[in-house]
Amino acid sequence: MELEEYRAIIEGVLFASGEEGVPKKKLMDLLGMDKSSVNDLIESMQEAYMHPSRGLMIMESQGTLHLTTKPEHASYYKRLLDSPSATRLSQASLEALAIIAYQQPITRIEVDDLRGVKSDRSIQTLVNRGLIEEKGRKDAIGRPILYGTTKDFLIYFGLTSIDELPPLEDLQHPEDMAGDADLFFEKFEKDPLNDED
C-alpha cells in the first residue's frame, strides 16, 4: 500500500472516531504497522496540516490522536455555534434529541445503544445548540454524564413542560426508538429547528 493511502486511512479513522480520538496503539494495530512507522506518518500529516490552506490539525493527548480544528479559527466556529438557526440539525441529531427527550435523564452510551451507532457528535451539537444539558451523573462505573432537555428545547417546540411531549406508541424493542424518532417531530406542524430562513 502507498504512503498516501495510509495517510488517507489515518485521516478517515481519526474523523470517524470523533471526539474520542484513536489511541496510537490501536492505530498501529489497525494498520499493521510498528510505532516508528505510524509516528513517521503522523508527523508528515501534521506538517501538511500546518499549511495555511488547511483548517484541521492532528493533536495528540496522552497517547490518543484527535483530528481537530485549528485554534486560530476559533472565532469563526464560535459564530457558527452562536447562530443555531443558521444550520439544520442532521437526522442523527434529531434521533438523539428524540431519544433524550423521551428517556431523560440518559447517558450517551445509552443513547448509542438505542440508536445502534455512536452519538457523541450529535450530543455535542445538541449541547452547543442549548437543546440538551448535563443533568448530573449516573451512579455507575465511570459515573457517566446524564443528559436531559433544556428550557430552550421547550421554547423551540412550544411546550410548557416535558409532560406535553406527544405520546409514542409502546415499542416492542427499545432499539426501535431511534427508527421512530420522526414520530416525535411529525407531531409538530412546523419544526423550528429545520426552518430555512
Side-chain angles (χ1 to χ4, degrees), residues 104 149-150 153-155 157-166:
Q104 60 186 310
T149 54
T150 64
F153 169 85
L154 298 175
I155 293 168
F157 288 101
L159 304 170
T160 55
S161 83
I162 207 71
D163 297 329
E164 292 183 1
L165 284 172

Side-chain angles (χ1 to χ4, degrees), residues 22-33 35 38 63-65:
V22 178
K24 198 177 278 186
K25 174 74 171 82
K26 187 170 187 176
L27 197 55
M28 290 162 49
D29 293 342
L30 283 172
L31 299 174
M33 299 176 81
K35 186 175 182 178
V38 168
T64 298
L65 299 165

Side-chain angles (χ1 to χ4, degrees), residues 168-172:
L168 284 177
E169 296 175 7
D170 291 336
L171 300 174
Q172 294 287 331

Side-chain angles (χ1 to χ4, degrees), residues 3-4 6-7 10 31 33 36-46:
L3 287 178
E4 284 304 312
Y6 279 119
R7 290 187 187 102
I10 291 171
L31 299 174
M33 299 176 81
S36 175
S37 299
V38 168
N39 283 339
D40 289 345
L41 277 170
I42 296 298
E43 284 175 23
S44 70
M45 291 175 72
Q46 286 173 323

Side-chain angles (χ1 to χ4, degrees), residues 34-129:
D34 60 33
K35 186 175 182 178
S36 175
S37 299
V38 168
N39 283 339
D40 289 345
L41 277 170
I42 296 298
E43 284 175 23
S44 70
M45 291 175 72
Q46 286 173 323
E47 285 177 25
Y49 279 127
M50 278 196 258
H51 194 276
S53 67
R54 305 298 296 271
L56 300 173
M57 58 184 272
I58 296 176
M59 183 184 78
E60 183 174 351
S61 174
Q62 298 178 345
T64 298
L65 299 165
H66 303 268
L67 188 64
T68 183
T69 54
K70 290 184 174 179
E72 58 263 35
H73 302 149
S75 62
Y76 295 97
Y77 309 132
K78 185 177 185 319
R79 280 195 283 184
L80 174 68
L81 297 176
D82 287 346
S83 58
S85 61
T87 56
R88 299 174 62 155
L89 284 177
S90 66
Q91 182 64 31
S93 293
L94 292 174
E95 287 176 4
L97 181 58
I99 290 169
I100 292 166
Y102 281 97
Q103 298 290 310
Q104 60 186 310
I106 187 170
T107 67
R108 181 185 59 78
I109 298 297
E110 290 168 335
V111 174
D112 292 351
D113 289 344
L114 287 169
R115 292 189 62 232
V117 293
K118 294 179 79 160
S119 303
D120 52 329
R121 284 177 185 254
S122 298
I123 286 177
Q124 189 58 52
T125 297
L126 296 171
V127 169
N128 290 340
R129 296 282 184 94

